[in-house]
């Protein structure tokens, strides 16, 4: 079971690397689009465009920092805090396996929602960030529940 978890986590790390490369390219393109918006707004004297562009640049940079610095630390902290119940044998391993699998998927989901937020920030919409934070919390909560649900169900059913 541990070999399968290691293999899946390696696959998720490779997917993470690919998605972060794409995200970095989009963050740079979004920042460039906002810089062009600021410069065009300044050229025609539209102060509102300038401030919207500056806010867009700040939003894109903050999303990028959260994606590259915050998400890995959140996933590591959640994986470390998982209970490791060794008392049930394969049932405890199944709970740990499912939590690790959901943790890898949670990291990819967080990166996907940050990607969507970056694209929406680049076009001037702010709705994507709230969706990203909601999906992040949902993924982490699901990971912790999976780690607890399998051993608890096994004890309730009398397997352990």
């Amino acid at each position: 079971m541990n070999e399968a978890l290691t293999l899946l986590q390696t696959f998720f790390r490779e997917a993470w690397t690919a998605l972060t490369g794409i995200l970095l390219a989009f963050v740079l393109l979004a920042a460039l689009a906002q810089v062009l918006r600021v410069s065009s707004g300044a050229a025609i004297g539209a102060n509102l465009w300038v401030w919207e562009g500056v806010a867009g640049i700040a939003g894109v940079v903050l999303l990028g920092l959260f994606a590259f610095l915050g998400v890995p630390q959140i996933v590591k902290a959640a994986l470390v805090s998982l209970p490791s119940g060794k008392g049930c044998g394969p049932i405890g391993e199944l709970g740990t396996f499912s939590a690790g699998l959901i943790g890898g998927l949670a990291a990819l989901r967080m990166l996907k929602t940050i990607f969507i937020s970056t694209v929406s920030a680049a076009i001037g919409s702010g709705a994507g960030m709230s969706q990203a934070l909601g999906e992040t919390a949902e993924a982490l909560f699901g990971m912790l529940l999976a780690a607890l649900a399998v051993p608890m169900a096994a004890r309730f059913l009398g397997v352990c």
Side-chain angles (χ1 to χ4, degrees), residues 13-135:
R13 277 190 196 97
E14 296 296 325
W16 171 268
T17 304
L19 284 176
T20 53
I22 293 169
L23 179 67
L24 181 62
F26 270 94
V27 164
L28 293 175
L29 288 174
L32 178 63
Q34 294 300 328
V35 166
L36 291 174
R37 184 176 184 178
V38 167
S39 63
S40 66
I44 64 172
N47 289 335
L48 180 63
W49 282 8
V50 171
W51 288 111
E52 284 178 352
V54 169
I57 291 170
V60 167
V61 168
L62 288 175
L63 283 171
L65 286 175
F66 177 70
F68 295 120
L69 300 176
V71 172
Q73 296 303 320
I74 290 171
V75 172
K76 283 179 187 175
L79 287 174
V80 167
S81 69
L82 291 175
S84 59
K86 304 283 187 205
C88 282
I91 299 296
E93 290 179 15
L94 182 62
T96 305
F97 176 77
S98 62
L101 183 63
I102 292 173
L105 290 173
L108 292 177
R109 275 184 71 189
M110 284 187 264
L111 195 61
K112 177 199 71 115
T113 56
I114 290 172
F115 177 75
I116 292 169
S117 297
T118 302
V119 171
S120 67
I123 61 172
S125 174
M129 186 59 184
S130 61
Q131 178 187 1
L133 292 175
E135 283 196 32

